[in-house]
Amino acid sequence: QYTDLSPHSQCPSPGAMSQAVAKEVPREQGEGSSRRSRWGLLVTAGVGGTLVALYAVATPFVTPALRKVCLPFVPATAAQIQNVLKMLENRSGSLVDIGSGDGRVVIAAAKKGFQAVGYELNPWLVWYSRYRAWRDGVHQNTKFYISDLWKVSFSHYTNVVVFGVPQMMPQLEKKLEEELECNARIIACRFPFPCWIPDHTTGEGIDTVWAYDLKHSRACETKSLETTPETES
């Protein structure tokens, strides 16, 4: 017997090698393309989800800036809160914070025994305020509502706190004068009301707080005369 030791007997023919390579290359290219496609979909989904989340979080903070009267969220300082509480000494009844932000004024008032309510347009801040009230153990004495202050009546509150801006104070002054009873006290922070003369003032600079008692305003005197029955002489 003879053994064929020629090169042709040990190596495949060039034609066979070309066919094998032709089969392997498309398979590798197809797998690489599939992996890149999957990664592309994952990256696109991740970026899209992140943008949606950022939009959902940022929109409530950006939207107020597009309104005719912008009331941006600026957290109250510790000094401002203490000055507000000072103006609430010897006061009782319900309290409302107009534009309550993260709820720190409402929570501080609740700790002093007030039934305190906050109105805020930003839902994220309202949910956070509710959490803070629960965490501080005053959730039973506090309520927070997602609402536009111009669509709410404050007629049943005897203490009103507002962190306003100059553009809104004249309109808000008129609204409160029409809605509140004569025993109400309005506490303005950062900016005073344009026409009312404050009965009490405390603090300095940005921490200044002005308190107005409606019983001293002309509107309340007129209201009292209208509601008091005439006596026969």
Side-chain angles (χ1 to χ4, degrees):
Q1 297 181 354
Y2 296 95
T3 303
D4 188 1
L5 299 179
S6 65
H8 299 288
S9 64
Q10 302 296 323
C11 300
S13 65
M17 290 182 63
S18 299
Q19 292 177 358
V21 171
K23 291 180 180 179
E24 291 297 328
V25 170
R27 183 183 301 173
E28 292 178 358
Q29 290 178 346
E31 291 177 354
S33 177
S34 178
R35 285 195 296 269
R36 287 194 297 270
S37 178
R38 286 196 297 269
W39 276 109
L41 289 174
L42 289 174
V43 170
T44 301
V47 172
T50 301
L51 291 175
V52 170
L54 288 174
Y55 177 82
V57 173
T59 297
F61 292 91
V62 176
T63 300
L66 305 177
R67 299 169 65 86
K68 183 177 180 180
V69 178
C70 174
L71 184 58
F73 167 58
V74 180
T77 66
Q80 286 171 341
I81 295 175
Q82 290 303 314
N83 290 336
V84 169
L85 295 178
K86 184 177 180 180
M87 293 299 186
L88 291 172
E89 291 178 357
N90 303 319
R91 296 284 300 176
S92 60
S94 57
L95 177 141
V96 61
D97 184 9
I98 300 176
S100 55
D102 59 3
R104 59 185 65 191
V105 172
V106 173
I107 292 171
K111 290 180 179 179
K112 294 295 183 179
F114 289 91
Q115 289 291 327
V117 176
Y119 286 93
E120 171 60 47
L121 197 59
N122 187 325
W124 295 104
L125 294 175
V126 170
W127 295 329
Y128 178 64
S129 299
R130 292 170 180 168
Y131 162 73
R132 289 190 62 180
W134 171 82
R135 184 191 64 185
D136 291 2
V138 294
H139 59 283
Q140 294 182 343
N141 296 331
T142 61
K143 291 182 180 179
F144 296 94
Y145 298 104
I146 304 171
S147 183
D148 187 331
L149 69 91
W150 304 112
K151 299 178 181 179
V152 178
S153 173
F154 303 107
S155 58
H156 54 287
Y157 296 104
T158 54
N159 301 282
V160 178
V161 180
V162 55
F163 284 75
V165 293
Q167 295 88 341
M168 67 176 285
M169 299 306 273
Q171 186 177 354
L172 183 59
E173 181 181 73
K174 181 179 180 181
K175 174 179 172 65
L176 295 177
E177 193 170 63
E178 292 175 349
E179 295 179 352
L180 296 178
E181 296 296 331
C182 293
N183 61 341
R185 170 172 288 185
I186 303 99
I187 300 172
C189 307
R190 295 199 180 101
F191 298 99
F193 287 98
C195 298
W196 290 340
I197 299 175
D199 295 279
H200 311 279
T201 305
T202 187
E204 297 179 353
I206 193 173
D207 297 322
T208 302
V209 171
W210 299 265
Y212 306 86
D213 293 328
L214 278 191
K215 65 183 179 181
H216 296 153
S217 71
R218 180 177 300 177
C220 275
E221 291 174 1
T222 303
K223 186 184 298 185
S224 299
L225 291 174
E226 292 175 351
T227 57
T228 302
E230 295 183 359
T231 57
E232 295 182 0
S233 57

